[in-house]
Amino acid sequence: MENNLKRLNKFIGETGYCSRREADKLIDEGRVTLNGVVPELGTKVSPDDEVRVDGKLIREKNEKPVYLAFYKPVGIECTTNLDVRNNIIDYINYPKRIFPIGRLDKASEGLIFMTNDGDIVNKILRARNNHEKEYTVTVNKPITNRFIERMGNGIPILDTVTRKCKVEQISKDIFKIVLTQGLNRQIRRMCEYLGYEVIALKRIRIINISLDIPMGRYRDLTDAEIKELNELIEPSSKTEEASLPKAETPKRRTEFIKRDDPRFKGRGDY
């Protein structure tokens, strides 16, 4: 591991961001962070460390960012806090520093993205009008036509009314729903309002990526999937007013906001 260590200024210089001397100045000015902490001059870094300048992630030349599709089992917490038992980072045990995009609550299972690319995290979190998420939901009693109609037309929860959405009955107690919102425990609250209890909830699609891997496993997104994903989220990333409230807008478009950040408390938890 020692052989993989580089001085921070050399690491920044080799990415092509600036010269080593300019990197020293950035470090001295406190504009560089190493794993979220302002480092000292002379600090050494490894390939797994996260280096940012003015909040922007810096990578070595030719290093491709990581994009994973992961099938999260029930019981795993979507947090980067390693002190939390059964956290998603320890469960996956990926060799590089990665973070979940959005979240899926502990009692739910299904598709979640993992990445080390802060830009795509912020784009997806902002692109809420075009950010379709599809679920299959099992409830505790037979589904009626009235239930399907009410779920699709909006339910009053959390001092608002949910957006209209696509809802389709699959069997007597299972339905499919496509959301473009991320309210706190939204599906569970919607069902509860109509007198139903969610027994099982699985996310089977996020935007253009469908769940196609065994539970507890992950795969890399293909170049074609990443290209299509970026094309689908790009329009909404420029219309921030239609996505996040002003008070919760990140200071920089490239800022990497982790899910433990209080600004996103309770968002996207199904």
Side-chain angles (χ1 to χ4, degrees):
M1 183 66 179
E2 187 69 27
N3 293 335
N4 292 329
L5 296 179
K6 295 180 183 177
R7 289 175 65 93
L8 181 56
N9 63 348
K10 181 180 180 183
F11 175 89
I12 295 173
E14 289 181 352
T15 67
Y17 186 88
C18 63
S19 69
R20 290 193 199 181
R21 182 171 293 182
E22 290 169 326
D24 281 333
K25 184 178 179 182
L26 292 173
I27 296 166
D28 190 50
E29 292 173 349
R31 294 168 59 187
V32 177
T33 59
L34 174 62
N35 301 329
V37 178
V38 177
E40 298 178 353
L41 284 169
T43 298
K44 291 188 175 181
V45 300
S46 76
D48 295 335
D49 287 321
E50 179 190 275
V51 178
R52 293 178 177 274
V53 177
D54 295 332
K56 182 176 181 178
L57 186 64
I58 302 300
R59 292 191 184 86
E60 293 187 81
K61 284 183 178 177
N62 302 321
E63 181 189 357
K64 292 184 67 175
V66 176
Y67 303 104
L68 303 180
F70 172 55
Y71 186 162
K72 185 194 89 68
V74 171
I76 300 302
E77 293 269 15
C78 290
T79 177
T80 57
N81 184 349
L82 302 184
D83 293 330
V84 174
R85 188 179 179 184
N86 296 323
N87 68 80
I88 195 168
I89 304 301
D90 282 342
Y91 184 91
I92 293 181
N93 195 28
Y94 195 76
K96 294 185 178 182
R97 290 170 60 88
I98 55 174
F99 305 86
I101 303 180
R103 60 175 294 128
L104 197 58
D105 76 1
K106 186 175 181 179
S108 302
E109 64 181 89
L111 181 62
I112 189 163
F113 295 154
M114 304 290 294
T115 187
N116 59 1
D117 182 356
D119 291 341
I120 201 167
V121 171
N122 285 323
K123 283 181 181 180
I124 289 178
L125 294 179
R126 291 173 181 172
R128 307 190 64 207
N129 290 329
N130 292 333
H131 183 176
E132 283 193 349
K133 293 161 288 185
E134 186 172 352
Y135 304 80
T136 57
V137 187
T138 305
V139 289
N140 64 331
K141 59 185 180 181
I143 294 167
T144 63
N145 291 336
R146 174 68 171 161
F147 172 87
I148 296 295
E149 180 186 352
R150 292 291 303 278
M151 288 287 287
N153 285 326
I155 299 292
I157 59 171
L158 299 172
D159 300 319
T160 187
V161 177
T162 58
R163 288 183 194 154
K164 289 187 176 183
C165 59
K166 302 172 188 174
V167 186
E168 176 187 351
Q169 184 168 353
I170 303 300
S171 68
K172 71 171 185 176
D173 59 356
I174 300 176
F175 68 94
K176 188 182 294 184
I177 184 169
V178 179
L179 297 181
T180 56
Q181 275 178 295
L183 300 178
N184 188 327
R185 299 175 66 84
Q186 180 172 343
I187 295 173
R188 296 177 189 276
R189 291 179 189 273
M190 291 169 73
C191 290
E192 183 180 356
Y193 181 86
L194 297 176
Y196 286 74
E197 179 185 349
V198 172
I199 303 301
L201 193 156
K202 179 194 292 188
R203 183 155 65 196
I204 59 173
R205 178 173 63 87
I206 302 174
I207 312 179
N208 63 313
I209 312 297
S210 295
L211 185 64
D212 60 358
I213 45 180
M215 183 184 294
R217 303 289 294 274
Y218 62 80
R219 69 168 177 86
D220 292 300
L221 297 187
T222 67
D223 290 343
E225 287 173 331
I226 295 166
K227 182 176 184 292
E228 183 182 11
L229 178 62
N230 274 297
E231 288 172 352
L232 290 169
I233 63 178
E234 186 62 32
S236 288
S237 68
K238 296 177 181 177
T239 56
E240 204 168 300
E241 306 79 57
S243 55
L244 294 179
K246 290 288 187 183
E248 295 183 340
T249 300
K251 292 180 182 178
R252 301 183 182 93
R253 182 173 176 178
T254 54
E255 183 181 0
F256 197 131
I257 297 177
K258 298 180 182 179
R259 299 309 301 175
D260 301 324
D261 193 303
R263 284 173 288 177
F264 284 98
K265 185 178 181 182
R267 300 182 69 85
D269 182 359
Y270 304 117

